[in-house]
Amino acid sequence: MGMKNQPPALRPFLPQDLKAVSELFRASIEDLTADDYDEKQREAWISGSNDEAAFGARLAENLTILAFQQTKLAGFASFKNNQILDMLYVHPDFSGQGVGGYLLEAIEKLAAHRGVKKITLESSDTAKDFFIARGYAPQSRITHLRMDQWLGVTTMTKELEDLNKLIGLNKIKTQIIDIILYYTLYNKMSELCRKINCNKKPSFNFEFDIFKKDRNCLILYFNVQKRISQFRF
């Protein structure tokens, strides 16, 4: 079991996290939504991760952050197109311990940093009260057809506060800055890859040779490496 009331450590999603994130996704749906969705509906929902490559690409294309308790993956959240909370899942072992709220707060602060004024999401029946308690307003009821199963969700929105008010002076701020730096670095890596016609997808296994070609990127590289190294497991 996780450590109740202990704030989780946050870091960005990396390609090597895919297996653990996929397993958490399945376990969360299977164990935490049974009161609202029957077995066939849950199987249809879980099928969204069956194509591991596609699921990994979805996580990588979004702004995806992970929450850890000690060395255990406790949850993850994924933000799409600077407007949509695409996914937010917590491992059953850490349910009810504040992990989901911590991840949601992180996404809101990252979104505010990017100038986002409103977040939209589709909530399961299981998570609806969770989002309402955090200021999200229900908009409409819709259904999705997956594997011949209808899955009901509620669209919800929240207007974000001013960035300075939203960030505040608390423990989560430093980790948010780490994640902002990481994604800034990743974007710089991608840009440099295009400039040198590098066909490899940016990763933390070969970036140094690319970054030493650009002094500003090299400084950012060392900044990020230092600040996120403590979150690698």
Side-chain angles (χ1 to χ4, degrees):
M1 294 293 291
M3 298 174 64
K4 192 170 184 179
N5 299 323
Q6 180 70 28
L10 303 179
R11 70 161 171 81
F13 168 80
L14 298 172
Q16 57 263 37
D17 298 316
L18 178 56
K19 181 178 179 181
V21 172
S22 298
E23 290 174 352
L24 185 151
F25 175 80
R26 298 183 186 103
S28 180
I29 295 170
E30 185 61 42
D31 292 3
L32 301 180
T33 69
D35 289 343
D36 302 293
Y37 300 89
D38 64 30
E39 183 177 355
K40 289 186 177 180
Q41 287 176 313
R42 297 198 306 276
E43 288 176 357
W45 189 349
I46 289 170
S47 71
S49 66
N50 287 351
D51 185 334
E52 193 169 88
F55 190 63
R58 178 180 173 186
L59 292 166
E61 288 169 5
N62 293 349
L63 188 165
T64 301
I65 57 177
L66 312 183
F68 287 85
Q69 287 286 18
Q70 299 298 312
T71 59
K72 296 181 180 179
L73 180 61
F76 74 94
S78 195
F79 190 53
K80 179 180 179 181
N81 296 335
N82 284 335
Q83 59 182 348
I84 301 170
L85 181 63
D86 189 30
M87 291 183 277
L88 175 59
Y89 292 90
V90 174
H91 193 283
D93 288 350
F94 298 95
S95 177
Q97 298 180 30
V99 174
Y102 205 76
L103 280 165
L104 184 59
E105 182 184 1
I107 289 293
E108 290 176 353
K109 290 175 179 177
L110 287 164
H113 173 81
R114 294 181 168 192
V116 175
K117 302 300 182 183
K118 180 172 71 174
I119 291 180
T120 300
L121 58 86
E122 292 182 357
S123 172
S124 66
D125 294 345
T126 305
K128 184 178 176 180
D129 288 344
F130 165 86
F131 288 114
I132 289 176
R134 288 158 179 79
Y136 285 80
Q139 301 298 317
S140 61
R141 178 73 174 174
I142 62 175
T143 55
H144 294 292
L145 180 62
R146 293 183 185 173
M147 294 176 58
D148 297 323
Q149 298 295 315
W150 290 101
L151 303 177
V153 296
T154 301
T155 61
M156 308 181 80
T157 60
K158 179 179 180 178
E159 302 289 337
L160 295 185
E161 301 176 34
D162 175 76
L163 177 61
N164 293 327
K165 293 180 181 178
L166 193 62
I167 288 184
L169 296 175
N170 54 34
K171 293 181 180 179
I172 200 172
K173 184 176 180 180
T174 299
Q175 295 188 64
I176 295 303
I177 293 173
D178 292 335
I179 294 169
I180 290 170
L181 283 172
Y182 174 92
Y183 279 99
T184 300
L185 175 65
Y186 189 88
N187 289 336
K188 285 286 187 181
M189 288 167 63
S190 298
E191 180 181 344
L192 285 171
C193 281
R194 288 193 294 271
K195 285 182 179 179
I196 64 174
N197 295 318
C198 177
N199 294 321
K200 293 184 68 176
K201 189 176 182 64
S203 74
F204 280 89
N205 295 322
F206 81 111
E207 76 281 44
F208 181 79
D209 286 339
I210 292 178
F211 271 90
K212 66 184 181 183
K213 302 176 188 296
D214 186 299
R215 182 175 180 277
N216 290 332
C217 289
L218 187 59
I219 293 172
L220 187 59
Y221 163 80
F222 284 118
N223 235 337
V224 175
Q225 287 285 33
K226 180 179 179 181
R227 300 187 72 164
I228 72 170
S229 61
Q230 60 182 304
F231 302 127
R232 291 191 175 185
F233 303 106

